[in-house]
Amino acid sequence: MTHESNRLPQGGQIDRRKRISFRFDRTNYTGYKGDTLASALIANGVKLVGRSFKYHRPRGILSAGAEEPNALVELRTGNRREPNLRATQVELYDGLEASSQNNWPSLKYDLLSLNQLAGPLLSAGFYYKTFMWPAKFWEKVYEPLIRRAAGLGRASGLPDPDIYEKATLHCDVLIVGAGAAGLAAALTAGRAGARVILVEQDHVLGGRLTDDLPTQHQSEGHTWLAAAQDELRAMPNVEIMSRTSVFSIYDQNAVVAIEKVADHCIEPAPFSPRQRMWRIYPQQVIVATGSIERPIAFANNDRPGVMLAGAVRTYLRRFGTKTGERIVVFASHDGAALTVEALHAAGVTVVAIVDPRENSSPAMIAAAEQAGASLFRDSAVIAAHGTADGVTAAEITTQGRTLTVQCDLIAMSGGWDPVIHLASFLGQKPKWNPEMQAFAAINLPKGMQVAGAAAGHFSSETAARSGADAASHALQALGMAGSQPAIPGWQGEPVQGSLYFVAPSRSGKSFVDFQNDVTVDDITLAQREGYTSVEHTKRYTTLGMATDQGKTANVVAAGLIAEIRGVPLAQGAVTTFRPPYTAVTIGTVAGRATGKHFRPTRYSPLHAWCVQMGAVFVEAGPWLRAQYYPQRAGESWFDAALREARQVRQSVGLCDVSTFGKIDVQGPDAARFLDFVYANTMSTLPVGKARYGVMLREDGFVLDDGTVSRLGADHFLVTTTTANAGRVMQHLEFCAQIHCPDYDFAMSSVSDQWAQIAIAGPHARDVLRTIVDDFDLSNEAFPFMGCATLSVCSGITARLFRISFSGELAYELAVPADFGCAVIEALAKAGQNYGILPYGTEALTMLRVEKGHPAGGELNGQTTARDLGLGKMMSSKKDFVGRVLAGRPALVDPARPILVGLKPCNADESFNAGSHLLERDAPKVIENDLGYITSTAFSHVFNHTLGLGLLQRGQERIGETIMAYDPVRSKAVLVEVCHPIFYDPENSKVKS
Amino acid sequence: MRGAAHATPTVNAAWLRGARCITITPFREQQAACAAWLAQNFDLAWPKAGRIVVKGDLAAAWNGPGDIMLIDAKGNVSIDQILSALAGKAAIVDQSSGRIVIRLAGEKARRTLMKLVDIDIDPTVFKPGMGGITALHHMSVGVFKIADEPIFWLHAARTYASDVWHSLAEAGEEFSIDMQVLDKG
């Protein structure tokens, strides 16, 4: 256990009554509630926390927030291990276990730091230049090697035990960021009664409010912050969401945020999520996301112990910990004076202030005098000296000479950059604002405003005022009004200074992008080699990539590029902002939609009965359909399906056909509408009759087939295939609303209302007869293609259709879904004497292929009615959807492949769906392709494989022998072209 | 009951098995006649778009343009009565077997529902009598607010009932959701 040697005896917003134990790299440490992992490590004197991506250079903590590029750690162990978390954002909890990453064998002695020796070789564009030849090495050698070397941290590789979920909120005003601006905005909007959501990524509110106030205003700031929080928490119309980060925004200001519900706990509470993704739909958005301090590039500026000046202040004031004993402050603006003041107040020695400006400001001079620090004007830190354990000295150039100042920390600041990611995610390019000395968000989406430091109001007072003003504007847009909170006069805070990006050159690497190891030299080389656009520079050097996305690097790089090119920064640019702002776990994106519940499953009302019968199920779109019913252990699908098909042909079988789409169409214009949507005529259908129908798309291709039954003069029932049920309903709705708005009829899906059972086989009538209530099933009274409403099983309302997909005498019986299982059980019982069996989709396919009925393989969206041999169904007496475009020359070309039957010349041979059809001796090349096989099935009737296929000039070729070639299995089989209806072409069975 | 985060359930879901759902879609110029019949026979006003009119266990819920769904939680309404009364005036379709009706109630009912649907159900804007058809985990559901307590009624397709029920269980498990099947409401 180490001692918190850097912890100040008092101060900070940590709870000193609650001590916390944690481990980093297998060493025990302590901290306090309210600490981050970074602040606790600093308090314990830990400077070295990670190794850099490319060169494995030792790295320390640079910042105190989301912008941290160096201190990436792995958190937790086992199946909860998570890589690449910023130590600056990890809230400390008792039992926390973290480890550094990207090193071997240890953080201190990392063998791969030898990469630094190869530094001159690993310049920008190294991969592009090096791995060009030999070309064939790329796929087999280079790419695998690069992939192995790439990446930071290790995923657990185990199933995540935690719950992730999604939820939705709506509000009038969404305020992103609860610093001075966000709080003032929330108070203004909240007081007006607007529904307000205030989102803060940190676990405490206030942002930099208290860090950035001069010492004399500290207590005033705390009081204001506490009062603001109290008032907001008391407002029922204000929802405060801390530990929540807005990571992206989409059209109409739809915002997504991630709430770290339980990341601050060792594990989530039982049945509670670890993280939750919020979809937030606000009327108005106020982006009050603050700003990020800009580093300065100088040699070895990545040494542990080089830190952003604002972060030094945060660790002092918020976490009550000092970051060093002897500090050099290197800053080009007056903000650093606050750090000097805070350090001095905490009893930390500031040995030197290095200001690159020719004339330091009064604020800086006063701070130096107060702290007793040497002030070097018109000077620069040109190098940090030290080891992996930290900085030992700063090398300063001043007035033409170089001197070395012993220190253990260099606090740097090149100014502040507004966090404008959210304001830019929708495609708006930020523009350089000379007054702000930063890139500013412009052309904001409707309903969005930027406030506070994110809008260039860098002092707490001006930030708060701009937040309140933004809220007033938002209220105005909402037709509301409210009073702004009183904002104390916290004047005296320093603002911006001069632009300063890169210190004079000296040997040693000067880093611009710490996370991706991109140096001043890399960017300079990219410019020299012509990659002058910032987007090209990014791709060439890896600047601004990965989880960091250039938060601290992009503007320094833009400044450097402008300097190299000799153009003003106003002509410069930063790379496109892309979501997410900070990394988002895949678990949160998936939410609850994982495993079996990745998507909803649709169960037939007869599912329970199918399970009872031992069905093996197959996914058919969202449905689970009974595929086959093995009767003994180990019975194959093929044997089971063949047995089931045989039973249907020889006696009787039952099939669950509830999954077919069913659409109820009623009204005076119902028949007229069906005439319009079907290629064939439906208005002539007598009541009590069903008709096969073909529906075309607007482009003339077949959309779906099915039956239409006329239940009454103005009442029809349309059936569709299982696969196309939703699509047909959508199509009919479109036709009803767009093409036929004046038709008087109503349409509704009744697919869920009715369980439907096919009873097929020579004994179908015998079985059915036992359950119908007083209904004449004779062929004369209820012939083929009849339909009727009746009752079964002593009073259950039912609909009966004498239609057949199998080619046998068959009925489809529909009963309300609640009664489905009871009725099919009654049928099964009634059929016992006939050996009745359930049959699944495999047997169904065998039966329908024998009968030549088109299904999924043939209704594939690329076939016309004519292709399927249904050309004569297209009425010439009426208009219908698809009629005109079905007449396009290409669609009536006689050379189009049309539906044919195929059987093997040698009955012992089989062929597969997808095989291509070629002349029997033709070379197997695409130029000789004549068509393809759409469906195959083994036929117990014929005792060999049968197929349906689409073949050029198919009708003329009946009787010819051609080749079916399966390029996947390299299998060629000679097949005979035949009529697609193999079984009972006279249709005598179905009419029996 | 699922969950153990709370000692007692703070949300409960009840599948009102046996509830009747009948859609009434008036033909042209027949809505007034249908509305009059609804008022006379069930004391229910014709619901406007996005609204539900409730009287005890009976409700008339908007179900899409020109379409309402009569929901009887107790399952007593007779379709034959409606068919004979409104013959030629409206398309009457029995969906009682095709839809399931779920009552979601309790202190955390809204927090549970917030995880499932995207519509704004904040009590300040989503008042009793309001609702609509929306998506729940890619499934179409009707969501209506019946009372301020709060009580919501959901109706969903029967063939997706298993997933709707599962989604409710998951969303409510941190609130120890109590889930039960109530026959005839």
Side-chain angles (χ1 to χ4, degrees):
Chain A
M1 184 81 70
T2 60
H3 177 59
E4 291 175 54
S5 54
N6 280 339
R7 189 77 75 181
L8 297 169
Q10 58 192 28
Q13 296 162 51
I14 47 172
D15 186 348
R16 291 182 188 253
R17 291 164 304 178
K18 292 187 180 155
R19 187 145 238 175
I20 284 174
S21 300
F22 71 101
R23 279 161 69 84
F24 178 68
D25 275 352
R26 295 175 295 282
T27 304
N28 294 324
Y29 298 98
T30 60
Y32 291 108
K33 186 170 172 54
D35 261 326
T36 60
L37 175 59
S39 70
L41 287 171
I42 289 171
N44 282 281
V46 177
K47 283 194 169 176
L48 175 65
V49 294
R51 288 278 172 172
S52 74
F53 177 52
K54 193 159 77 171
Y55 301 121
H56 289 250
R57 285 170 69 98
R59 289 285 167 83
I61 294 160
L62 179 78
S63 73
E67 67 272 33
E68 177 58 38
N70 290 338
L72 303 180
V73 298
E74 284 178 0
L75 201 63
R76 301 185 173 88
T77 56
N79 52 5
R80 286 196 167 91
R81 189 175 70 204
E82 192 179 354
N84 291 327
L85 290 164
R86 291 170 178 82
T88 49
Q89 290 193 297
V90 173
E91 203 176 325
L92 204 65
Y93 56 82
D94 213 21
L96 178 148
E97 177 111 30
S99 53
S100 59
Q101 50 190 38
N102 210 35
N103 59 69
W104 187 84
S106 72
L107 179 58
K108 192 159 185 185
Y109 304 104
D110 179 12
L111 274 182
L112 282 170
S113 61
L114 291 172
N115 275 6
Q116 290 178 78
L117 302 177
L121 290 175
L122 297 172
S123 59
F126 166 73
Y127 296 105
Y128 306 120
K129 292 166 184 164
T130 311
F131 299 119
M132 296 290 287
W133 65 86
K136 63 183 177 185
F137 269 41
W138 175 250
E139 206 175 319
K140 294 273 165 57
V141 182
Y142 297 146
E143 191 183 338
L145 279 175
I146 292 169
R147 285 196 182 280
R148 203 169 302 157
L152 274 173
R154 302 163 300 157
S156 81
L158 298 167
D160 190 330
D162 293 326
I163 296 168
Y164 300 82
E165 64 181 23
K166 299 179 188 181
T168 300
L169 277 171
H170 296 249
C171 64
D172 295 324
V173 185
L174 169 70
I175 299 156
V176 187
L183 288 166
L187 286 168
T188 307
R191 286 176 184 181
R195 288 168 64 196
V196 176
I197 296 174
L198 177 63
V199 176
E200 171 54 52
Q201 64 184 358
D202 210 330
H203 65 279
V204 294
L205 308 189
R208 299 195 59 87
L209 171 61
T210 52
D211 299 345
D212 283 357
L213 291 178
T215 304
Q216 72 267 27
H217 291 304
Q218 280 285 296
S219 107
E220 205 177 339
H222 282 293
T223 307
W224 189 87
L225 173 60
Q229 290 192 67
D230 288 347
E231 185 178 342
L232 289 170
R233 290 191 199 285
M235 290 182 188
N237 55 321
V238 175
E239 179 133 15
I240 299 172
M241 300 172 71
S242 57
R243 298 190 177 101
T244 305
S245 174
V246 171
F247 66 83
S248 190
I249 187 163
Y250 300 95
D251 288 349
Q252 277 108 45
N253 292 336
V255 161
V256 279
I258 183 167
E259 181 187 3
K260 309 284 180 72
V261 182
D263 274 1
H264 60 294
C265 308
I266 197 155
E267 61 182 67
F271 306 106
S272 291
R274 187 157 87 83
Q275 296 178 352
R276 186 181 286 134
M277 192 170 98
W278 287 98
R279 287 179 285 241
I280 306 175
Y281 300 100
Q283 301 286 321
Q284 298 281 318
V285 182
I286 296 173
V287 177
T289 40
S291 55
I292 287 174
E293 200 163 21
R294 200 182 294 155
I296 300 172
F298 57 87
N300 301 327
N301 60 343
D302 63 329
R303 280 253 183 272
V306 178
M307 194 178 274
L308 292 169
V312 170
R313 201 158 68 236
T314 300
Y315 288 115
L316 269 182
R317 287 184 163 170
R318 177 171 165 187
F319 299 107
T321 186
K322 56 192 176 185
T323 42
E325 298 290 348
R326 288 174 55 81
I327 295 178
V328 168
V329 174
F330 176 29
S332 64
H333 79 119
D334 294 350
L338 273 175
T339 301
V340 174
E341 187 208 354
L343 287 167
H344 177 64
V348 179
T349 306
V350 180
V351 287
I353 299 171
V354 182
D355 190 338
R357 293 177 290 183
E358 265 184 50
N359 295 304
S360 272
S361 64
M364 202 69 110
I365 294 166
E369 278 175 6
Q370 188 190 17
S374 308
L375 175 61
F376 297 94
R377 302 169 200 186
D378 195 13
S379 307
V381 171
I382 54 169
H385 294 285
T387 66
D389 291 326
V391 167
T392 53
E395 189 176 332
I396 298 167
T397 176
T398 177
Q399 317 289 328
R401 64 195 173 96
T402 301
L403 57 97
T404 302
V405 174
Q406 303 300 311
C407 65
D408 58 1
L409 187 111
I410 300 171
M412 63 179 166
S413 177
W416 292 83
D417 290 312
V419 176
I420 49 173
H421 298 63
L422 268 190
S424 310
F425 280 155
L426 289 171
Q428 305 86 342
K429 282 271 182 194
K431 196 176 172 191
W432 182 258
N433 181 319
E435 265 180 50
M436 222 190 268
Q437 296 194 346
F439 283 94
I442 55 165
N443 301 327
L444 296 175
K446 195 176 170 219
M448 179 189 283
Q449 294 175 81
V450 182
H457 303 287
F458 294 111
S459 82
S460 296
E461 183 184 337
T462 54
R465 291 195 192 289
S466 85
D469 287 346
S472 294
H473 288 137
L475 290 171
Q476 200 177 1
L478 293 165
M480 303 171 85
S483 63
Q484 295 191 357
I487 291 155
W490 295 313
Q491 295 299 333
E493 292 173 56
V495 287
Q496 290 284 68
S498 297
L499 284 176
Y500 192 80
F501 299 111
V502 182
S505 162
R506 185 198 170 281
S507 65
K509 291 185 184 302
S510 301
F511 285 88
V512 175
D513 184 325
F514 294 83
Q515 193 181 86
N516 296 293
D517 273 349
V518 180
T519 64
V520 170
D521 287 348
D522 291 329
I523 291 171
T524 308
L525 181 67
Q527 304 312 300
R528 207 161 57 228
E529 296 188 346
Y531 298 94
T532 51
S533 152
V534 69
E535 297 288 358
H536 289 158
T537 304
K538 171 176 176 167
R539 273 79 192 172
Y540 199 57
T541 63
T542 69
L543 166 79
M545 288 189 175
T547 59
D548 185 61
Q549 288 289 297
K551 288 187 181 67
T552 53
N554 282 348
V555 179
V556 179
L560 175 60
I561 292 169
E563 271 179 33
I564 295 168
R565 293 177 59 203
V567 296
L569 244 175
Q571 291 177 27
V574 285
T575 50
T576 306
F577 288 99
R578 291 206 175 83
Y581 173 62
T582 45
V584 174
T585 57
I586 296 291
T588 323
V589 175
R592 292 282 196 166
T594 58
K596 184 172 173 289
H597 295 282
F598 173 67
R599 61 177 184 187
T601 303
R602 214 170 167 187
Y603 294 96
S604 154
L606 303 176
H607 186 81
W609 183 81
C610 296
V611 171
Q612 203 182 321
M613 292 294 108
V616 171
F617 292 91
V618 61
E619 285 186 17
W623 290 100
L624 278 187
R625 294 192 71 183
Q627 188 180 12
Y628 59 99
Y629 298 82
Q631 277 196 337
R632 54 179 169 76
E635 187 181 25
S636 71
W637 73 267
F638 180 78
D639 290 344
L642 205 60
R643 173 174 50 71
E644 292 162 17
R646 188 181 299 122
Q647 175 67 14
V648 172
R649 290 273 180 254
Q650 293 176 353
S651 182
V652 61
L654 293 173
C655 186
D656 178 7
V657 291
S658 308
T659 57
F660 291 166
K662 310 170 203 84
I663 301 166
D664 186 277
V665 186
Q666 296 187 48
D669 289 327
R672 196 175 152 213
F673 177 70
L674 293 177
D675 274 352
F676 181 68
V677 295
Y678 275 102
N680 49 329
T681 305
M682 294 298 173
S683 54
T684 54
L685 185 65
V687 173
K689 285 287 183 187
R691 183 171 287 167
Y692 177 72
V694 175
M695 211 178 269
L696 306 187
R697 299 189 311 228
E698 293 252 18
D699 63 4
F701 288 93
V702 172
L703 169 64
D704 198 37
D705 71 347
T707 59
V708 175
S709 302
R710 194 163 199 165
L711 303 172
D714 292 336
H715 190 184
F716 295 83
L717 182 80
V718 168
T719 64
T720 75
T721 58
T722 301
N724 285 328
R727 205 171 302 152
V728 169
M729 188 74 205
Q730 201 174 26
H731 172 72
L732 295 188
E733 278 289 358
F734 178 85
C735 291
Q737 291 178 35
I738 306 300
H739 296 310
C740 312
D742 55 335
Y743 284 24
D744 187 14
F745 72 104
M747 192 166 53
S748 49
S749 167
V750 289
S751 300
D752 285 71
Q753 169 67 14
W754 299 93
Q756 198 143 317
I757 306 154
I759 308 121
H763 290 297
R765 185 181 290 118
D766 303 322
V767 173
L768 192 58
R769 188 175 284 133
T770 59
I771 70 154
V772 296
D773 301 337
D774 193 24
F775 186 83
D776 185 357
L777 284 174
S778 69
N779 209 15
E780 298 72 30
F782 194 65
F784 180 56
M785 299 308 276
C787 72
T789 300
L790 70 164
S791 71
V792 298
C793 300
S794 308
I796 298 172
T797 303
R799 288 170 177 173
L800 188 64
F801 310 91
R802 191 166 160 195
I803 51 182
S804 175
F805 198 50
S806 59
E808 293 299 330
L809 165 66
Y811 300 86
E812 286 188 12
L813 178 68
V815 293
D818 287 343
F819 299 103
C821 283
V823 170
I824 201 167
E825 275 169 22
L827 283 166
K829 194 174 171 193
Q832 277 175 352
N833 292 343
Y834 304 101
I836 197 165
L837 287 176
Y839 63 101
T841 54
E842 292 296 342
L844 199 66
T845 299
M846 290 174 170
L847 298 168
R848 73 100 185 163
V849 169
E850 284 177 340
K851 193 64 186 166
H853 284 311
E858 294 74 36
L859 302 171
N860 59 13
Q862 298 175 322
T863 48
T864 66
R866 185 186 159 277
D867 295 344
L868 300 176
L870 306 171
K872 286 181 182 165
M873 287 177 70
M874 292 166 63
S875 172
S876 57
K877 295 178 184 163
K878 67 178 180 84
D879 195 13
F880 57 89
V881 175
R883 183 184 65 84
V884 174
L885 293 183
R888 283 181 287 170
L891 271 64
V892 295
D893 184 348
R896 278 185 70 82
I898 65 161
L899 187 71
V900 293
L902 298 157
K903 59 184 182 185
C905 294
N906 176 351
D908 294 334
E909 288 189 308
S910 65
F911 45 83
N912 298 97
S915 297
H916 283 259
L917 300 172
L918 309 161
E919 297 293 357
R920 59 182 303 168
D921 300 318
K924 301 178 190 82
V925 292
I926 192 69
E927 289 75 17
N928 295 329
D929 191 30
L930 300 173
Y932 61 99
I933 298 178
T934 51
S935 305
T936 60
F938 187 83
S939 165
H940 95 89
V941 175
F942 299 98
N943 203 30
H944 57 67
T945 298
L946 298 177
L948 298 175
L950 294 161
L951 175 66
Q952 283 178 19
R953 297 188 302 103
Q955 190 64 32
E956 302 162 31
R957 308 197 59 159
I958 287 176
E960 291 183 15
T961 297
I962 58 172
M963 177 169 53
Y965 173 59
D966 180 346
V968 177
R969 297 169 186 85
S970 297
K971 183 179 169 187
V973 176
L974 290 179
V975 294
E976 183 188 329
V977 181
C978 36
H979 193 274
I981 303 176
F982 299 95
Y983 181 74
D984 186 25
E986 302 80 22
N987 251 2
S988 59
K989 303 268 185 192
V990 297
K991 294 176 182 170
S992 60
Chain B
M1 190 184 90
R2 289 173 63 108
H6 293 253
T8 52
T10 47
V11 57
N12 55 75
W15 172 16
L16 309 182
R17 196 161 62 181
R20 290 209 79 100
C21 300
I22 297 160
T23 57
I24 304 173
T25 316
F27 298 133
R28 190 179 299 151
E29 294 172 2
Q30 295 296 331
Q31 186 172 313
C34 294
W37 176 86
L38 191 69
Q40 194 179 347
N41 288 272
F42 297 107
D43 194 22
L44 289 171
W46 192 264
K48 292 178 183 165
R51 294 288 188 276
I52 188 168
V53 180
V54 188
K55 281 274 166 9
D57 295 314
L58 205 60
W62 180 79
N63 198 46
D67 185 19
I68 68 160
M69 183 183 281
L70 191 63
I71 303 172
D72 176 8
K74 293 284 186 201
N76 295 327
V77 167
S78 152
I79 180 120
D80 293 337
Q81 179 199 357
I82 305 173
L83 278 170
S84 61
L86 297 181
K89 292 188 176 69
I92 311 298
V93 178
D94 190 0
Q95 298 277 21
S96 305
S97 268
R99 307 296 292 178
I100 59 160
V101 179
I102 296 167
R103 185 180 63 211
L104 189 70
E107 183 196 334
K108 297 290 185 188
R110 184 174 71 92
R111 300 297 300 193
T112 303
L113 208 48
M114 277 165 64
K115 302 182 192 181
L116 299 172
V117 297
D118 258 3
I119 58 171
D120 191 355
I121 54 169
D122 188 278
T124 59
V125 294
F126 197 61
K127 308 274 190 191
M130 296 174 78
I133 313 294
T134 185
L136 186 158
H137 190 200
H138 307 288
M139 298 173 285
S140 172
V141 292
V143 178
F144 294 91
K145 188 165 182 183
I146 306 302
D148 261 332
E149 291 168 46
I151 299 173
F152 300 95
W153 277 9
L154 279 67
H155 65 80
R158 173 204 182 93
T159 52
Y160 282 122
S162 162
D163 264 293
V164 171
W165 200 240
H166 176 83
S167 298
L168 272 171
E170 280 186 338
E173 71 179 351
E174 72 169 313
F175 311 124
S176 296
I177 189 167
D178 178 55
M179 306 190 74
Q180 50 182 303
V181 178
L182 295 180
D183 278 314
K184 292 279 181 184

